[in-house]
C-alpha cells in the first residue's frame, strides 16, 4: 500500500466472481512500475471450469507516441478444447506538425470469446471488432489520410456473410479554399480497394469537386453549392467490369432568425423563430449495375432533411428535385442563457419520383416525406421532457415515436421514464431510477421491457453505500440474449460487487461505470 503518490510495483486488488460459464473466477493482477513513462500489469486468471488464463497490459508515453498493448491467452480451454485469446493495440504517433499515425488493432481467437470471458457488464455484448491503421495529415485548408480497415465478427449470431468488406487500402482527401472573395472551391475524394471472402471484390474512386458561396449573418444565412460527383469502379467480374456514374449536384440552404423579448412571470426570455428552406437537385442516373460495397440507407431523422444523399457510402446517389421546409423555435433565458424550450418540425416535398433505391426495394412516387418533429422542454432544474415523432402521410402511420421524462429530486435523486417505437423494429418501455435513502445509502435500478415481444429484455437492481473512506456497490442483473435477430428463450443473470477504498483503489466489476451509462443522472 503506497503511502504517497509514488507508484510501486506489487499486487493489485484481486477480482473475484462466479459464473456458470467459468465457475469460480479469480484474477490476481501484478503491477510493474517499469519507468515514469511506461508500465505493465500482468494478470493471472483462474477459472475452475476453463483453466488458467494469462494476460497483461503494457502502457507507454513518449514525446511523439502513446498507446496501450494488451492481450490474453488460455491454452487448451477445458470446455471447448481449443486455445483462446484476445489481442488489442491502440497507438497514436505524431510525425511532425501536420502528420501522424493512428493504429487500432483487435483480434479474438473465436466468435464466442466475449460471451465466455467478457466478465464486465458490457464486453459480453461486443459483436463486431474493428481494426484500422491510418497515416493522417492536416493543413489549414486540407485533410488527407491513407490506410485500411478490417473487421472481425465476434458474435456467433451474426452470419459471416454479414461481415463488412475489408477496405485496404483506403485513401481520403478533402480540401476547401477561398478562390474569389466569399467563393469557395473544394473537393472530397476517396479511393478504396474492397475485398471479402466469397464475395465480389473491386476498387472504387469517388470524386466530388464543388463551388460554394456561403453568406452568413446574425439574422439570416444563404449557402448555395454546386458540384459534380464522379464515381468509377474496377470490379472483378466477367462483364461490365468498369462501370461509372457521373451526376451534378446542386443544393441551396437558406434560413432566417427572428427574435423577440418576452416576459413570463418574473423571468425575461428571448424567443426565436427560425424558418429554413433547403432545395436539392440531383438528376437521375441508373445505378443498377453498380455493386454495393459499403452503402446503406440512413435512418430518417431531422438531420436527414438537409443532406444531399439518403445513403452513406458512395455506391448509391439519390435522384432529387426536393424542397425541405422546416421551422425551429427556441426559448432562451436571458439571465443564464439556458435553452428552456426547443421545438422543430420539417418535411421534404418531392417534385420527382424517388427512383434510386437499394436492391429489392421498389421506386416510390411520394409527394412528401414523413413529418419529423421534436420538442425538448426544460420545465425547471428538476423536470425535463423530450419528444420525437415521425408521421408518414403516405402510409398514414407513425414511423417513429420517442418520449423521455426525467425528474430530479433531493440532492442527487433521479427517475427516468421513456418509450421508444420504430415501426417494424422495436417498441420498448424503460424506467430507471437513482433513489437516495439516507445521505450514505442509495438504491439504483432499471427495467427495459419489449412491448413487441411481451418480455423484459434487461433489468437490474443495486444498492450503494458511501462513507468518507469506503464506497461499496452490489448489483444484480438479468438479461435476454439475442440470437440471429430473434430473442432467445435463454437468459443470463449476474451479481456484481465493487469496493472502493478512497485514496487507495478499488476492486470489483466496475459497476459505477455501467451505472453512469445506464441511468441518466447517476453521479
Amino acid at each position: 500500500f503506497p503511502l504517497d503518490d509514488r507508484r510501486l510495483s506489487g499486487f493489485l486488488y484481486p477480482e473475484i466472481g462466479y459464473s456458470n460459464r467459468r465457475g469460480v473466477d479469480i484474477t490476481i493482477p501484478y503491477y510493474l512500475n517499469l519507468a515514469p513513462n511506461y508500465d505493465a500489469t500482468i494478470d493471472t486468471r483462474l477459472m475452475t471450469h476453463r483453466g488458467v488464463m494469462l494476460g497483461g497490459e503494457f502502457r507507454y508515453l513518449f514525446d511523439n507516441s502513446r498507446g496501450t498493448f494488451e492481450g490474453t491467452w488460455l491454452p487448451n480451454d477445458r470446455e471447448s478444447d481449443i486455445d483462446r485469446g484476445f489481442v488489442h493495440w491502440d497507438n497514436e504517433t505524431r510525425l511532425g506538425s501536420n502528420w501522424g499515425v493512428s493504429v487500432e488493432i483487435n483480434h479474438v481467437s473465436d466468435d464466442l470469446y466475449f460471451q465466455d470471458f467478457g466478465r464486465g457488464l458490457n464486453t459480453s455484448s461486443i459483436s463486431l471488432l474493428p481494426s484500422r491503421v491510418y497515416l493522417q495529415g492536416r493543413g489549414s485548408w486540407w485533410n488527407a489520410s491513407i490506410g485500411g480497415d478490417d473487421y472481425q465478427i465476434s458474435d456467433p449470431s451474426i452470419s459471416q456473410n454479414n461481415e463488412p468488406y475489408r477496405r485496404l487500402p483506403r485513401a481520403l482527401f478533402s480540401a476547401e479554399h477561398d478562390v474569389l472573395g466569399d467563393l469557395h472551391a473544394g473537393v472530397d475524394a476517396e479511393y478504396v480497394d474492397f475485398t471479402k471472402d466469397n464475395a465480389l471484390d473491386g476498387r472504387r474512386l469517388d470524386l466530388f469537386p464543388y463551388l460554394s458561396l456561403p453568406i452568413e449573418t446574425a439574422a439570416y444565412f444563404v449557402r448555395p453549392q454546386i458540384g459534380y460527383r464522379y464515381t468509377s469502379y474496377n470490379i472483378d467480374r466477367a462483364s461490365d467490369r468498369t462501370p461509372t456514374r457521373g451526376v451534378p449536384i446542386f443544393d441551396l440552404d437558406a434560413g432566417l432568425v427572428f427574435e423577440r423579448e418576452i416576459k413570463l412571470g418574473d423571468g425575461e426570455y428571448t424567443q426565436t423563430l427560425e424558418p429554413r428552406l433547403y432545395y436539392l437537385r440531383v438528376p437521375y442516373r441508373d445505378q443498377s449495375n453498380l455493386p454495393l460495397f459499403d452503402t446503406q440507407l440512413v435512418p430518417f431523422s431531422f438531420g436527414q432533411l438537409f443532406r444531399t444523399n439518403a445513403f452513406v457510402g458512395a455506391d448509391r446517389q439519390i435522384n432529387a428535385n426536393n424542397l425541405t421546409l422546416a421551422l425551429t423555435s427556441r426559448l432562451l433565458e436571458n439571465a443564464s442563457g439556458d435553452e428552456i424550450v426547443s421545438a422543430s418540425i420539417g418535411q421534404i416535398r418531392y417534385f420527382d419520383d424517388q427512383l434510386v433505391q437499394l436492391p429489392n426495394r421498389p421506386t416510390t412516387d411520394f409527394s412528401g416525406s414523413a413529418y419529423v418533429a421534436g420538442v425538448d422542454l426544460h420545465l425547471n432544474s428538476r423536470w425535463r421532457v423530450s419528444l420525437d415523432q415521425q408521421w408518414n402521410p403516405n402510409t398514414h402511420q407513425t414511423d417513429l415515436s420517442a418520449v423521455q421524462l426525467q425528474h430530479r429530486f433531493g440532492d442527487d435523486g433521479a427517475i427516468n421514464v421513456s418509450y421508444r417505437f420504430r415501426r417494424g423494429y422495436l417498441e420498448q418501455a424503460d424506467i430507471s431510477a437513482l433513489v437516495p435513502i439516507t445521505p450514505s445509502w442509495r438504491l439504483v435500478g432499471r427495467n427495459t421491457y419489449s412491448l413487441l415481444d411481451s418480455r423484459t429484455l434487461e433489468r437490474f437492481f443495486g444498492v450503494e453505500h458511501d462513507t468518507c473512506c469506503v464506497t461499496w456497490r452490489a448489483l444484480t442483473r438479468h438479461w435476454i440474449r439475442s440470437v440471429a435477430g430473434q430473442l432467445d428463450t435463454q437468459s443470463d443473470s449476474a451479481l456484481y460487487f465493487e469496493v472502493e477504498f478512497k485514496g487507495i483503489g478499488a476492486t470489483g466489476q466496475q459497476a459505477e461505470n455501467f451505472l453512469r451509462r445506464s441511468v441518466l443522472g447517476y453521479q
Side-chain angles (χ1 to χ4, degrees):
F1 294 95
L3 300 179
D4 52 29
D5 292 336
R6 289 177 297 175
R7 297 181 303 185
L8 298 177
S9 297
F11 288 101
L12 305 178
Y13 289 102
E15 297 183 16
I16 304 173
Y18 177 82
S19 166
N20 57 0
R21 289 177 176 268
R22 298 178 297 272
V24 177
D25 189 350
I26 303 174
T27 301
I28 302 176
Y30 189 86
Y31 176 74
L32 295 169
N33 183 31
L34 302 175
N37 62 320
Y38 56 90
D39 60 15
T41 303
I42 299 175
D43 295 329
T44 303
R45 183 177 180 182
L46 170 64
M47 296 166 284
T48 55
H49 291 178
R50 300 282 182 174
V52 178
M53 174 180 283
L54 301 178
E57 177 190 64
F58 178 73
R59 304 184 301 177
Y60 55 90
L61 176 64
F62 298 99
D63 290 340
N64 297 316
S65 295
R66 63 179 179 179
T68 302
F69 180 84
E70 57 183 320
T72 62
W73 180 56
L74 172 62
N76 194 23
D77 177 16
R78 294 174 185 170
E79 294 288 334
S80 61
D81 201 27
I82 60 173
D83 295 345
R84 315 286 296 275
F86 168 66
V87 174
H88 169 74
W89 181 33
D90 187 35
N91 176 82
E92 296 287 341
T93 299
R94 188 173 68 249
L95 304 174
S97 58
N98 296 99
W99 291 90
V101 175
S102 176
V103 178
E104 181 187 6
I105 302 296
N106 295 286
H107 181 75
V108 288
S109 56
D110 56 274
D111 56 11
L112 283 170
Y113 177 88
F114 289 114
Q115 288 192 18
D116 290 342
F117 303 109
R119 187 168 49 190
L121 286 157
N122 295 286
T123 55
S124 59
S125 62
I126 295 175
S127 58
L128 192 65
L129 279 178
S131 294
R132 55 179 62 94
V133 179
Y134 277 94
L135 172 66
Q136 300 168 324
R138 174 177 298 181
S140 60
W141 54 273
W142 61 273
N143 291 281
S145 62
I146 184 170
D149 302 90
D150 193 9
Y151 300 89
Q152 181 185 10
I153 291 178
S154 53
D155 185 338
S157 66
I158 300 178
S159 169
Q160 294 297 322
N161 294 330
N162 295 324
E163 186 177 43
Y165 272 88
R166 291 183 291 274
R167 302 186 294 185
L168 181 66
R170 182 186 183 211
L172 299 102
F173 179 78
S174 63
E176 183 175 285
H177 201 278
D178 301 342
V179 293
L180 183 62
D182 293 329
L183 181 65
H184 297 173
V187 63
D188 294 320
E190 180 189 43
Y191 173 81
V192 190
D193 189 337
F194 293 98
T195 58
K196 182 179 176 179
D197 296 337
N198 303 316
L200 187 69
D201 295 343
R203 290 142 296 283
R204 186 185 70 201
L205 175 65
D206 186 50
L207 299 173
F208 181 61
Y210 62 88
L211 294 172
S212 64
L213 185 65
I215 301 172
E216 309 274 352
T217 71
Y220 66 89
F221 64 87
V222 180
R223 307 181 188 123
Q225 178 177 284
I226 186 169
Y228 187 82
R229 186 171 198 180
Y230 175 78
T231 309
S232 66
Y233 293 83
N234 189 331
I235 308 171
D236 297 340
R237 61 188 182 189
S239 62
D240 197 13
R241 297 172 57 92
T242 58
T244 63
R245 178 196 62 210
V247 57
I249 299 176
F250 171 76
D251 67 297
L252 174 65
D253 193 2
L256 299 171
V257 180
F258 299 99
E259 294 183 355
R260 69 170 182 172
E261 302 297 320
I262 62 174
K263 191 170 184 178
L264 299 175
D266 297 330
E268 295 182 349
Y269 301 87
T270 299
Q271 183 188 12
T272 71
L273 192 65
E274 306 168 34
R276 184 176 178 183
L277 299 177
Y278 179 76
Y279 178 73
L280 175 64
R281 183 72 175 105
V282 184
Y284 169 72
R285 297 291 186 270
D286 183 7
Q287 300 164 55
S288 58
N289 63 332
L290 303 184
L292 282 174
F293 289 132
D294 62 352
T295 298
Q296 299 180 23
L297 186 66
V298 179
F300 196 62
S301 64
F302 190 79
Q304 278 292 102
L305 300 176
F306 312 101
R307 294 184 75 248
T308 59
N309 199 4
F311 303 98
V312 290
D315 299 319
R316 293 293 184 272
Q317 170 62 55
I318 62 168
N319 67 294
N321 185 14
N322 308 340
L323 178 64
T324 294
L325 307 172
L327 181 65
T328 298
S329 181
R330 312 174 201 272
L331 185 65
L332 309 174
E333 187 178 44
N334 292 347
S336 63
D338 292 339
E339 186 177 83
I340 308 302
V341 181
S342 175
S344 300
I345 187 171
Q347 188 201 28
I348 302 175
R349 302 300 299 176
Y350 301 118
F351 305 124
D352 290 340
D353 295 348
Q354 300 83 58
L355 302 177
V356 180
Q357 304 287 346
L358 293 177
N360 302 320
R361 294 283 297 270
T363 62
T364 57
D365 57 355
F366 298 149
S367 60
S369 71
Y371 289 95
V372 185
V375 177
D376 195 0
L377 177 61
H378 295 254
L379 298 174
N380 51 45
S381 60
R382 296 194 176 271
W383 287 94
R384 177 177 180 177
V385 181
S386 297
L387 305 133
D388 292 287
Q389 190 77 13
Q390 291 183 21
W391 186 79
N392 194 331
N394 306 294
T395 60
H396 302 285
Q397 291 180 322
T398 296
D399 288 344
L400 179 144
S401 183
V403 182
Q404 184 176 39
L405 170 68
Q406 183 187 60
H407 174 53
R408 294 176 178 265
F409 57 93
D411 291 335
D412 55 3
I415 182 169
N416 307 285
V417 181
S418 64
Y419 168 81
R420 298 179 294 273
F421 169 81
R422 183 178 288 275
R423 183 165 301 280
Y425 291 94
L426 61 86
E427 185 176 9
Q428 298 175 359
D430 189 292
I431 183 170
S432 63
L434 172 66
V435 182
I437 304 300
T438 69
S440 58
W441 288 91
R442 303 194 301 179
L443 301 177
V444 64
R446 180 177 180 178
N447 189 86
T448 303
Y449 185 82
S450 172
L451 300 170
L452 200 63
D453 304 284
S454 301
R455 67 172 62 188
T456 296
L457 301 179
E458 179 188 35
R459 65 173 175 266
F460 65 81
F461 177 78
V463 60
E464 182 178 81
H465 182 60
D466 187 10
T467 66
C468 63
C469 303
V470 179
T471 296
W472 62 264
R473 303 173 187 90
L475 182 69
T476 178
R477 180 187 181 217
H478 179 84
W479 71 98
I480 301 294
R481 292 200 302 269
S482 178
V483 176
Q486 303 295 324
L487 289 176
D488 194 354
T489 55
Q490 296 182 357
S491 61
D492 281 344
S493 297
L495 177 66
Y496 302 93
F497 185 75
E498 181 180 29
V499 178
E500 178 181 354
F501 300 94
K502 296 183 178 180
I504 298 179
T507 182
Q509 295 295 324
Q510 297 183 345
E512 181 182 9
N513 294 333
F514 169 74
L515 294 174
R516 287 181 184 274
R517 290 188 291 268
S518 301
V519 181
L520 183 64
Y522 178 88
Q523 299 182 26

